[in-house]
Amino acid sequence: MKTLIPLLTGAVLAGSLATAQANEIVVGGKNFTEQQILSSMTTQYLEGLGYDVEKRAGLGSAVLRQAQENGQIDLYWEYTGTSLINYNDESAEGLTVDETYQKVKELDAEKGLVWLEPSDANNTYALAMREASVEETGITSLSDLAQAVNDEQGLTFAMNAEFYAREDGWRPLQQAYDFRASRGDVKRMDSGLVYQALRDEQVDVGLVFATDGRIPAFDFQVLEDDQNFFPAYALTPVVRQATLDANPELAEQMNTLSGLLDNDTMSTLNAQVDVDKTPIEQVAENFLEENDLL
């Protein structure tokens, strides 16, 4: 708690840091479109069910996780691979989607965190190129990409700073596929700017999320991860055990919402925000109304 309170004071966490009590839920979220949609959707959904909800969105992954462990966040949507690798220091190599979920569920239970039912959305990382570039170069897989880098074809990359530094990110990806791009060929920027840079031909390859609606909208092609480097990132609601104890119906309620989400659904919702420029709150509200949850 001592190390986190300074990070979460001010506008992000205005008000009391007291642990949520019965019928009071603090919903967290990360700082990219999908997570902002989910935090808004969850907040509106739970408020509709009669909960007193405070939303604390727009946080970095590590800060958000620490806030939940410290009791400052009750509930947020996490990705199985992120928790397994980054928060539990475990390898996901060779694990199926279900095995990854079961393992992280067991590990986080020891920390007082409960993984509810996973959705069918698997927002794993991917590298993408413009379809026109794929046709021109013949690069369709990460092995093809590695060969092109090793042949010094001068490819440039864009990715967010988190992926560049994380333990299942850029460096181990290069090791797995046996290539090494020079530091000058890698541009680090916010995730949203990666898509613009790739679309506008400022770079050749961009880091994308598999459920992002801009992939089809901008005519990108995801390169095949032919060596299965990227672990499963099943999107799942994670809640504190103490919060479930105080709100016994919460698990079933969140599982209902989780059961409605898959890759196509999330891509559509993400595109409504990032491509159609529909406000996040409206996208979340429309989804809930269409599914009779609001």
Side-chain angles (χ1 to χ4, degrees):
M1 179 74 83
K2 291 182 180 179
T3 61
L4 190 59
I5 289 177
L7 292 172
L8 298 185
T9 53
V12 174
L13 289 186
S16 173
L17 290 176
T19 301
Q21 312 234 335
N23 223 35
E24 297 176 346
I25 307 294
V26 181
V27 173
K30 303 186 186 185
N31 55 4
F32 53 91
T33 299
E34 179 165 284
Q35 283 277 316
Q36 291 171 337
I37 293 171
L38 289 166
S39 60
S40 176
M41 185 186 298
T42 303
T43 298
Q44 294 184 56
Y45 173 52
L46 294 181
E47 285 178 340
L49 292 172
Y51 291 93
D52 179 15
V53 183
E54 180 178 356
K55 184 177 69 172
R56 300 173 182 173
L59 304 175
S61 294
V63 172
L64 180 56
R65 167 68 178 218
Q66 190 175 1
Q68 188 176 47
E69 290 190 16
N70 287 345
Q72 296 169 270
I73 298 291
D74 291 303
L75 164 67
Y76 79 98
W77 295 79
E78 187 55 275
Y79 305 92
T80 51
T82 300
S83 181
L84 184 63
I85 296 166
N86 293 81
Y87 308 147
N88 288 286
D89 296 321
E90 294 280 346
S91 172
E93 185 175 355
L95 297 180
T96 65
V97 172
D98 184 62
E99 288 170 343
T100 302
Y101 167 76
Q102 294 296 339
K103 188 170 184 179
V104 78
K105 181 177 182 178
E106 179 181 347
L107 290 169
D108 278 350
E110 299 173 2
K111 304 173 183 177
L113 305 180
V114 179
W115 284 70
L116 302 179
E117 290 299 315
S119 73
D120 288 331
N122 181 19
N123 193 9
T124 188
Y125 286 110
L127 294 182
M129 298 176 66
R130 295 177 297 278
E131 288 182 354
S133 297
V134 169
E135 293 176 3
E136 179 182 348
T137 64
I139 297 172
T140 61
S141 68
L142 294 186
S143 289
D144 293 339
L145 179 67
Q147 186 63 54
V149 172
N150 292 335
D151 288 344
E152 300 182 351
Q153 293 187 17
L155 297 174
T156 54
F157 299 80
M159 63 193 65
N160 61 44
E162 181 178 353
F163 181 79
Y164 185 86
R166 62 188 290 157
E167 294 179 7
D168 61 338
W170 182 236
R171 181 179 55 81
L173 173 64
Q174 293 181 92
Q175 293 174 342
Y177 279 93
D178 194 23
F179 75 98
R180 184 170 182 81
S182 67
R183 182 173 298 181
D185 289 334
V186 181
K187 298 180 180 180
R188 283 168 280 178
M189 60 188 71
D190 290 341
S191 294
L193 296 178
V194 171
Y195 294 83
Q196 296 178 32
L198 184 58
R199 179 195 60 190
D200 296 341
E201 301 185 16
Q202 296 173 8
V203 295
D204 301 304
V205 185
L207 176 75
V208 298
F209 297 102
T211 59
D212 198 293
R214 288 167 290 186
I215 294 173
F218 292 169
D219 295 323
F220 295 162
Q221 180 170 325
V222 171
L223 302 181
E224 180 189 358
D225 179 16
D226 49 311
Q227 294 187 25
N228 298 313
F229 170 79
F230 291 113
Y233 287 90
L235 182 61
T236 309
V238 182
V239 62
R240 297 173 58 245
Q241 181 64 61
T243 304
L244 283 182
D245 292 342
N247 302 275
E249 297 180 351
L250 182 61
E252 182 178 353
Q253 291 162 340
M254 288 305 302
N255 286 339
T256 296
L257 183 56
S258 183
L260 297 173
L261 304 178
D262 56 22
N263 278 8
D264 289 342
T265 299
M266 292 311 307
S267 293
T268 298
L269 296 175
N270 289 330
Q272 289 173 7
V273 173
D274 291 323
V275 180
D276 301 334
K277 304 304 180 183
T278 305
I280 287 171
E281 302 294 328
Q282 188 63 55
V283 169
E285 180 181 350
N286 291 346
F287 177 83
L288 292 171
E289 290 179 344
E290 290 167 3
N291 289 277
D292 298 322
L293 295 181
L294 195 62

